[in-house]
Amino acid sequence: MKLGSIEAGGTKFVCGIGDDLGNVHEEITIPTKTPEETIPHVLDFFRHKAVSAIGIGSFGPVDLNRKSDTYGYITSTPKPHWSQFDLVGTIQKAISVPLAFDTDVNAAALGELEWGAAKGLDSCLYMTVGTGIGVGAITERKLVHGLMHPEMGHIYTRRHPDDDFVGNCSFHKDCLEGMAAGPALEKRWGVAGKELSDHKQAWEFEAYYLAQALVNYMLTLSPKKIILGGGVMKQTQLFPLIHDHVLEALNGYLNLSELTPENIGDYIVPPALGDQAGLCGGLALAKTVMF
Amino acid sequence: MKLGSIEAGGTKFVCGIGDDLGNVHEEITIPTKTPEETIPHVLDFFRHKAVSAIGIGSFGPVDLNRKSDTYGYITSTPKPHWSQFDLVGTIQKAISVPLAFDTDVNAAALGELEWGAAKGLDSCLYMTVGTGIGVGAITERKLVHGLMHPEMGHIYTRRHPDDDFVGNCSFHKDCLEGMAAGPALEKRWGVAGKELSDHKQAWEFEAYYLAQALVNYMLTLSPKKIILGGGVMKQTQLFPLIHDHVLEALNGYLNLSELTPENIGDYIVPPALGDQAGLCGGLALAKTVMF
Ligand SMILES: Nc1ncnc2c1ncn2[C@@H]1O[C@H](COP(=O)(O)OP(=O)(O)O)[C@@H](O)[C@H]1O
Ligand SMILES: Nc1ncnc2c1ncn2[C@@H]1O[C@H](COP(=O)(O)OP(=O)(O)O)[C@@H](O)[C@H]1O
Ligand SMILES: [Zn+2]
Ligand SMILES: [Zn+2]
């Protein structure tokens, strides 16, 4: 079965054609300008491709409430021209196949569950640490949605005792995103994250915050796999630091074979789908409206 | 349809007969002694009652993994005689109707969703603040389970700046339960919670910790209703304090009509089922194996 996938990001839209086994056959990258400039290229790509459904994983915030008048909209984004844009409606008007719509991180979580690091499991949590911190979660094979879609990147963690950075979130100052997303790193240390590879304290702080958040998610959602992606996680030295902090914070509380010094490296992992995570996520979303 | 319900608690077992509309017709309270003393009384109660199914909400920790060898066990409880006790197996051996088994807080959440404060909704969160802090959660009409059943009562919150209490959790010291459960109140202030009604600072601290935890749950699970029960919540002056702290911590981040000073009183609420919450929870659990 031929399925379409759209990874709608703040800097680029990636569109792909693939199948229900997670294979991507063809893809195209379109820079994110205004909707009027960008969307026609997206529609062009899918013309005559005869896909059976398209899955869209979008940057946000988005309205996921099917009963809402603004379902399928990108809502109050600071990104110029995209605030209150009817993404799903605009695409649906031009393409009459079923569309599945969710956040980019939920799509990524679903892709990793279908074909990636969480394959064969019925729950997982996907966190991206990039320009923002976004989290997608699946329990019992269902994406977690609710009153609002969860905004787990903004939970409050404890401050590292040696960290006096005021925090960077415009809503909460020192919430997780305000302390640990890429721009927070850059503000705290004065250089971009990728220049900080050798800065031990930077990664000690970073692991401290991310591990605390993961522990809270674990105690709340108990995912069977945790997948960490995004630009900042390219600092792969973070993984063992995070593993140590998670075990220390739990202090043996969750007596599970996954949560031992030997096994935690298989529990908190990088994405298995790599560069294809976004497109695979869209394919996995598309599948949900087909079967 | 006649359904059975068991509220298996650390101090008492309450057993009831009711129906699939949440009505309790008959009930009995049995003190929790050893399993050998207590369980026969439970079985006696259900004899000749011709129930179609029984729902059991149990104190924990419990093993909820159906694939596990110890499914239905109370696992590593500090309560003498009950550690590693096969609760479901023992009852099933004597009574051959379908049994549904879950934590006491998950049962309570389900009961409140069926017939109580969250009636008509598809998600809610139930938190009890008593001897421990336990949380049950439902998203998309499904109880949240995972690798372990979630232990949300042990998440880490920030310390109140004026609070130097070391914390009372044997695993984590100053996790939520270690700072805000009934025994923590008693240790911090030197008198039992119910003697503290007029102690302003006690409830200021308490609301501060509980609100932080609720914000983290909201950002993670986005429940459509939050229900707070348990002995400590009998201090009803906590509700408005918690409402204020939640709004302050969110700082307008979740732009929802529920989360305004006018409406939050209908969002974070006491249980609607009152004393029947536990038994109704068991009936709601029993329903899940019938339909
Ligand atoms: N190798 C790296 N090491 C540390 N930080 C990085 C690295 N690469 C990118 N970043 C940071 O990650 C953020 C971008 O995240 P990314 O996931 O690439 O994009 P986005 O979140 O915008 O989709 C920026 O703040 C950038 O500084
Ligand atoms: N009115 C009250 N005000 C404050 N704390 C109370 C009150 N009643 C009970 N508690 C506290 O709640 C805890 C018992 O919680 P409860 O929910 O009644 O039982 P359990 O959690 O054991 O099922 C004790 O620590 C007790 O001190
Ligand atoms: Zn924030
Ligand atoms: Zn604890």
Side-chain angles (χ1 to χ4, degrees):
Chain A
M1 179 181 311
K2 240 166 120 180
L3 297 172
S5 173
I6 302 176
E7 187 186 348
T11 52
K12 57 185 202 269
F13 272 56
V14 186
C15 303
I17 308 290
D19 60 32
D20 56 339
L21 303 173
N23 303 306
V24 177
H25 304 135
E26 187 185 342
E27 66 177 269
I28 185 177
T29 297
I30 300 159
T32 308
K33 299 182 184 162
T34 66
E36 292 67 34
E37 290 171 282
T38 303
I39 300 298
H41 292 289
V42 172
L43 300 178
D44 277 348
F45 174 75
F46 286 107
R47 219 178 303 278
H48 310 306
K49 293 282 160 66
V51 294
S52 307
I54 299 177
I56 308 170
S58 177
F59 74 106
V62 289
D63 185 345
L64 299 176
N65 178 2
R66 289 187 166 275
K67 291 180 195 146
S68 157
D69 288 343
T70 53
Y71 168 76
Y73 280 52
I74 293 172
T75 57
S76 59
T77 176
K79 192 165 172 67
H81 311 292
W82 289 85
S83 185
Q84 306 308 328
F85 176 64
D86 180 8
L87 181 60
V88 171
T90 305
I91 296 172
Q92 190 75 83
K93 221 175 282 169
I95 304 178
S96 60
V97 302
L99 300 182
F101 180 59
D102 218 307
T103 62
D104 44 10
V105 280
N106 272 346
L110 205 58
E112 291 286 339
L113 192 87
E114 282 280 346
W115 305 299
K119 198 172 154 174
L121 303 177
D122 60 7
S123 69
C124 74
L125 186 132
Y126 181 95
M127 173 156 86
T128 177
V129 189
T131 305
I133 295 187
V135 184
I138 296 171
T139 67
E140 314 214 347
R141 302 198 66 80
K142 283 198 146 188
L143 285 161
V144 174
H145 296 128
L147 187 58
M148 49 272 183
H149 68 95
E151 292 291 356
M152 298 187 218
H154 292 268
I155 71 169
Y156 288 98
T157 55
R158 294 182 181 185
R159 199 167 254 291
H160 191 289
D162 300 332
D163 187 4
D164 57 11
F165 178 55
V166 60
N168 195 41
C169 174
S170 54
F171 289 96
H172 317 108
K173 285 223 172 96
D174 60 355
C175 70
L176 177 68
E177 178 168 306
M179 295 305 268
L185 281 172
E186 188 159 347
K187 264 221 179 132
R188 186 193 282 105
W189 304 110
V191 289
K194 67 172 137 251
E195 313 298 326
L196 286 166
S197 303
D198 298 326
H199 192 307
K200 267 194 86 164
Q201 198 176 26
W203 307 114
E204 172 57 24
F205 284 10
E206 186 72 10
Y208 177 84
Y209 292 117
L210 296 176
Q212 269 190 73
L214 295 182
V215 165
N216 280 359
Y217 305 146
M218 288 165 69
L219 293 169
T220 306
L221 291 165
S222 52
K224 291 183 179 156
K225 191 76 79 175
I226 292 178
I227 302 150
L228 305 181
V232 174
M233 292 309 302
K234 290 188 184 143
Q235 302 287 336
T236 50
Q237 73 272 29
L238 274 171
F239 280 93
L241 295 174
I242 290 170
H243 296 152
D244 290 349
H245 277 291
V246 164
L247 291 176
E248 191 184 318
L250 287 172
N251 193 25
Y253 181 61
L254 301 169
N255 184 14
L256 290 166
S257 60
E258 284 82 354
L259 299 176
T260 60
E262 299 74 48
N263 294 344
I264 193 165
D266 292 328
Y267 178 64
I268 300 176
V269 299
L273 300 173
D275 286 346
Q276 301 267 279
L279 281 183
C280 286
L283 294 176
L285 275 179
K287 264 184 78 172
T288 65
V289 288
M290 291 307 300
F291 302 98
Chain B
M1 178 180 313
K2 241 167 119 181
L3 297 173
S5 174
I6 302 175
E7 188 186 345
T11 52
K12 58 186 201 273
F13 272 56
V14 186
C15 303
I17 308 290
D19 60 31
D20 55 341
L21 303 173
N23 303 305
V24 177
H25 304 134
E26 187 185 342
E27 64 176 272
I28 187 177
T29 297
I30 301 160
T32 307
K33 299 182 182 163
T34 66
E36 292 69 32
E37 290 171 282
T38 303
I39 299 299
H41 292 289
V42 172
L43 300 178
D44 277 348
F45 174 75
F46 286 106
R47 219 177 302 279
H48 309 306
K49 293 283 162 65
V51 294
S52 307
I54 300 176
I56 308 169
S58 177
F59 73 106
V62 289
D63 186 344
L64 299 176
N65 177 2
R66 290 187 165 276
K67 290 181 195 147
S68 157
D69 288 343
T70 54
Y71 168 76
Y73 280 52
I74 293 172
T75 57
S76 58
T77 176
K79 191 165 172 67
H81 311 293
W82 290 86
S83 185
Q84 305 307 328
F85 176 65
D86 180 7
L87 181 60
V88 170
T90 305
I91 296 173
Q92 190 75 82
K93 222 175 279 167
I95 305 178
S96 60
V97 302
L99 301 181
F101 179 60
D102 218 307
T103 62
D104 43 10
V105 280
N106 273 346
L110 205 57
E112 291 286 340
L113 192 87
E114 282 280 347
W115 303 300
K119 197 171 154 176
L121 303 177
D122 60 6
S123 68
C124 74
L125 186 132
Y126 181 95
M127 171 155 88
T128 179
V129 188
T131 305
I133 295 186
V135 184
I138 296 171
T139 67
E140 313 214 347
R141 301 197 67 80
K142 282 198 149 187
L143 286 161
V144 175
H145 296 128
L147 186 57
M148 49 274 183
H149 69 96
E151 293 290 357
M152 297 187 218
H154 292 268
I155 70 169
Y156 288 98
T157 55
R158 293 180 182 187
R159 197 168 254 290
H160 191 289
D162 300 331
D163 187 6
D164 57 10
F165 177 56
V166 59
N168 195 39
C169 173
S170 54
F171 289 96
H172 316 109
K173 284 222 172 96
D174 60 355
C175 70
L176 177 68
E177 178 168 307
M179 295 305 267
L185 281 172
E186 188 159 349
K187 264 220 179 134
R188 185 193 283 106
W189 305 109
V191 289
K194 67 173 135 243
E195 314 298 327
L196 287 166
S197 303
D198 297 327
H199 193 308
K200 267 195 84 164
Q201 197 175 30
W203 306 115
E204 172 57 26
F205 284 12
E206 186 71 11
Y208 177 85
Y209 291 117
L210 296 177
Q212 269 192 73
L214 294 182
V215 165
N216 280 358
Y217 306 146
M218 288 165 69
L219 293 169
T220 307
L221 290 166
S222 51
K224 289 183 181 156
K225 191 76 80 176
I226 292 179
I227 302 150
L228 304 181
V232 174
M233 292 310 302
K234 289 186 183 146
Q235 302 286 336
T236 50
Q237 74 272 29
L238 274 172
F239 281 92
L241 296 174
I242 290 170
H243 296 153
D244 290 349
H245 277 292
V246 164
L247 291 177
E248 191 184 320
L250 287 172
N251 193 26
Y253 181 59
L254 301 169
N255 184 14
L256 289 166
S257 61
E258 284 81 355
L259 299 175
T260 61
E262 300 74 48
N263 295 343
I264 192 165
D266 292 328
Y267 178 64
I268 299 176
V269 298
L273 300 173
D275 287 346
Q276 301 266 279
L279 281 184
C280 285
L283 294 176
L285 274 179
K287 264 186 78 173
T288 64
V289 289
M290 290 308 298
F291 301 98

